[in-house]
Amino acid sequence: MTETNLWQWTAGEALALPPLEDRRQAEIAVVGGGYAGLSAALHLAERGREVVLLEAGGIGAGAAGRNGGQVIPGLKQDPEAVERIWGPGRGIRAAAFAGAAPDLVFELIARHRIACDAVRGGWLQPAAAPGHLPTLERRVAQWARLGASLRLLSRAEVAERLGTDAYHGALFDFRGGSLHPLKFARGLARAAMAAGARLFCRSPVRKIDRSGDGWRLVTPRGELRCGVLVCCTNAYSGPPVPEVSRCILPLWSVQIASEPQPAAVRERIVRDGICASDTRRLLTYFRFDAEGRFVIGGRGAVGERGRQRAFAALRRRARALFPDLEPSWRFAWGGLVALTENRLPQLAEPEPGLLLAFGYNGRGVALATATGRVLADRLTGTEPADLPLPVLGRPRFWPHAPLLRWSLPLAGPVAGWVERLRPAGGR
Ligand SMILES: Cc1cc2nc3c(=O)[nH]c(=O)nc-3n(C[C@H](O)[C@H](O)[C@H](O)COP(=O)(O)OP(=O)(O)OC[C@H]3O[C@@H](n4cnc5c(N)ncnc54)[C@H](O)[C@@H]3O)c2cc1C
């Protein structure tokens, strides 16, 4: 299949933003025009801070313009696991913060009138095996303790909503929803500019130096000096931001999308504006877009040939789950997800005037947007102890990440065999 990104195809005109072509100064520089960087720039500019954002490609060139558009509440780890890792008080606050992250997304969309096909139809996590149901039950109980009443759906209810009997039950989280990911990113960019932030595209930061009390950022045609540097480059981090690269495993996730499906199909499957990501270790996620195209995604693979195999596997998965779908597959694309060792995001302040935020483990639509606001809070005087996420002195290094990166071409097929033998649950 020729690779064409559905979101690029349907987002309309790109924002005409210039590259950085001169020497400038700013109070705060944000590197990365994805959700975290844009949300940080927006919230900082709204509070009267002088912000310049530098993006290597166009707005949403990274995962923000490629993802599934599922606005998923919570962290990749369940609330009790977060408590075990980050401690009782901090863990609960972080879980509650991530559970409420979709509220911020839908609030920003309403406040800034961002036209991005937003639907708050809830997020469904269907159980791919009967053995996954206890994990979902525990998840519902843990969220209930935090005041969020999620529901467990029976096998029959899931079959009714999704139009497939492939699943054994599901967790329904009313807090979630979906949107057009690239339109949302561009809307955030417009809002940030309206609030006074300066945004530059096609301005990859090639070099970062300490300069006096601040920083000097070098792009191919310009230079920016700033007092504070915020790096939101996530899975697309390269050599200029080595601290991040050493802490994450960038993994491909791929999607395919059909031509608009007939109304009769849309009435039967994945109904009521729902979006879903199942419980497999190598999860499958799916939904309809605003024009009725069926969009399904899952694990990617390394290299062009690997991606083509992954697209073919998605077509087979779609047929197995929903035999009534018209197989008019027209779009296929992929992007990088940043995994961290403990599956939790990281916010780090390795030295004064430097903030790093990354590692949303495939849940960044809501979480990275909300983390952008946390970055703004930190830079406008909130003490680390009062933030909902812990601020690490040093980002948490993942010692095996380089080896895992190297073995990724092998890891894909091995994980596929393991998945077939024993599909893991509860992710
Ligand atoms: C295929 C796919 C499907 C996904 N589906 C979902 C989903 O349905 N729901 C969900 O919640 N999450 C999903 N995610 C994850 C989500 O998209 C990410 O967590 C989120 O986009 C992270 O936001 P970010 O701003 O940190 O990073 P990004 O959006 O990746 O932005 C980082 C930006 O930094 C820029 N950059 C990098 N280096 C430099 C440099 N040196 N100079 C200047 N700019 C630089 C990049 O060009 C990029 O635009 C998915 C991801 C992928 C890839």
Side-chain angles (χ1 to χ4, degrees):
M1 277 182 99
T2 314
E3 293 198 28
T4 312
N5 178 336
L6 169 66
W7 311 126
Q8 289 281 354
W9 188 264
T10 51
E13 279 283 294
L15 292 175
L17 296 175
L20 183 73
E21 291 191 310
D22 52 11
R23 290 176 176 215
R24 282 177 183 260
Q25 279 207 302
E27 184 190 354
I28 301 169
V30 176
V31 184
Y35 302 133
L38 293 166
S39 166
L42 165 63
H43 288 101
L44 284 164
E46 280 181 336
R47 296 171 203 182
R49 297 307 168 101
E50 188 203 2
V51 193
V52 170
L53 182 145
L54 301 177
E55 161 56 45
I59 291 301
R66 300 160 183 267
N67 65 68
Q70 302 201 5
V71 185
I72 305 175
L75 298 157
K76 197 73 178 172
Q77 298 274 13
D78 281 332
E80 282 179 7
V82 186
E83 275 187 85
R84 271 196 304 280
I85 298 169
W86 280 344
R90 172 68 76 190
I92 289 191
R93 276 173 60 204
F97 158 78
D103 290 344
L104 176 67
V105 169
F106 290 103
E107 190 188 302
L108 288 171
I109 290 169
R111 180 148 48 97
H112 298 287
R113 296 196 174 81
I114 301 177
C116 62
D117 309 327
V119 179
R120 204 159 188 185
W123 175 68
L124 199 74
Q125 191 176 34
H132 299 181
L133 289 170
T135 310
L136 295 186
E137 279 162 23
R138 284 194 293 275
R139 186 161 299 151
V140 169
Q142 290 180 34
W143 279 112
R145 258 172 255 135
L146 292 182
S149 40
L150 316 190
R151 273 190 62 210
L152 266 188
L153 303 187
S154 68
R155 183 170 194 162
E157 284 174 300
V158 178
E160 221 267 307
R161 286 202 185 201
L162 291 186
T164 172
D165 57 8
Y167 292 110
H168 300 263
L171 173 152
F172 177 70
D173 193 330
F174 65 93
R175 301 169 297 181
S178 60
L179 46 70
H180 187 302
L182 184 54
K183 286 184 184 174
F184 177 52
R186 288 183 183 167
L188 287 177
R190 284 193 193 92
M193 287 189 290
R198 300 291 313 267
L199 273 52
F200 294 92
C201 283
R202 287 167 286 118
S203 304
V205 174
R206 294 264 163 83
K207 200 159 170 262
I208 300 176
D209 295 325
R210 260 289 181 200
S211 155
D213 282 350
W215 303 92
R216 187 178 73 108
L217 313 186
V218 182
T219 67
R221 303 212 307 244
E223 187 181 300
L224 176 67
R225 286 175 193 264
C226 59
V228 175
L229 171 60
V230 183
C231 288
C232 298
T233 46
N234 204 36
Y236 290 81
S237 302
V241 215
E243 293 94 335
V244 176
S245 306
R246 283 195 287 264
C247 304
I248 58 165
L249 184 62
L251 286 185
W252 276 93
S253 181
V254 297
Q255 294 177 84
I256 56 174
S258 69
E259 295 285 12
Q261 292 286 324
V265 173
R266 284 152 60 183
E267 278 157 19
R268 264 201 318 278
I269 70 171
V270 196
R271 294 195 293 110
D272 307 328
I274 226 165
C275 60
S277 330
D278 72 20
T279 54
R280 288 165 206 277
R281 181 186 288 117
L282 305 172
L283 61 87
T284 302
Y285 50 97
F286 47 84
R287 68 182 183 96
F288 282 104
D289 80 347
E291 277 85 41
R293 299 178 188 90
F294 191 73
V295 186
I296 181 166
R299 141 180 91 102
V302 180
E304 159 68 24
R305 281 176 62 192
R307 277 203 298 285
Q308 288 298 332
R309 278 196 298 274
F311 296 144
L314 280 178
R315 291 195 296 269
R316 287 195 299 276
R317 175 64 56 87
R319 193 166 52 237
L321 287 172
F322 306 107
D324 291 349
L325 273 177
E326 296 226 331
S328 52
W329 302 112
R330 158 96 165 73
F331 301 92
W333 72 101
L336 291 172
V337 171
L339 239 64
T340 54
E341 190 179 19
N342 62 9
R343 303 294 184 271
L344 292 175
Q346 295 195 33
L347 182 58
E349 199 170 338
E351 49 188 301
L354 174 63
L355 278 173
L356 315 169
F358 59 92
Y360 309 102
N361 292 277
R363 295 218 169 168
V365 175
L367 195 55
T369 307
T371 301
R373 189 173 65 177
V374 175
L375 290 165
D377 291 343
R378 175 69 192 120
L379 292 176
T380 49
T382 306
E383 288 301 320
D386 297 325
L387 295 174
L389 293 174
V391 182
L392 309 172
R394 261 179 199 206
R396 199 185 134 95
F397 176 46
W398 185 352
H400 295 119
L403 182 67
L404 288 169
R405 260 180 220 222
W406 178 79
S407 61
L408 270 182
L410 212 61
V414 171
W417 295 327
V418 173
E419 184 67 38
R420 273 193 289 277
L421 292 174
R422 202 173 68 83
R427 283 292 175 193

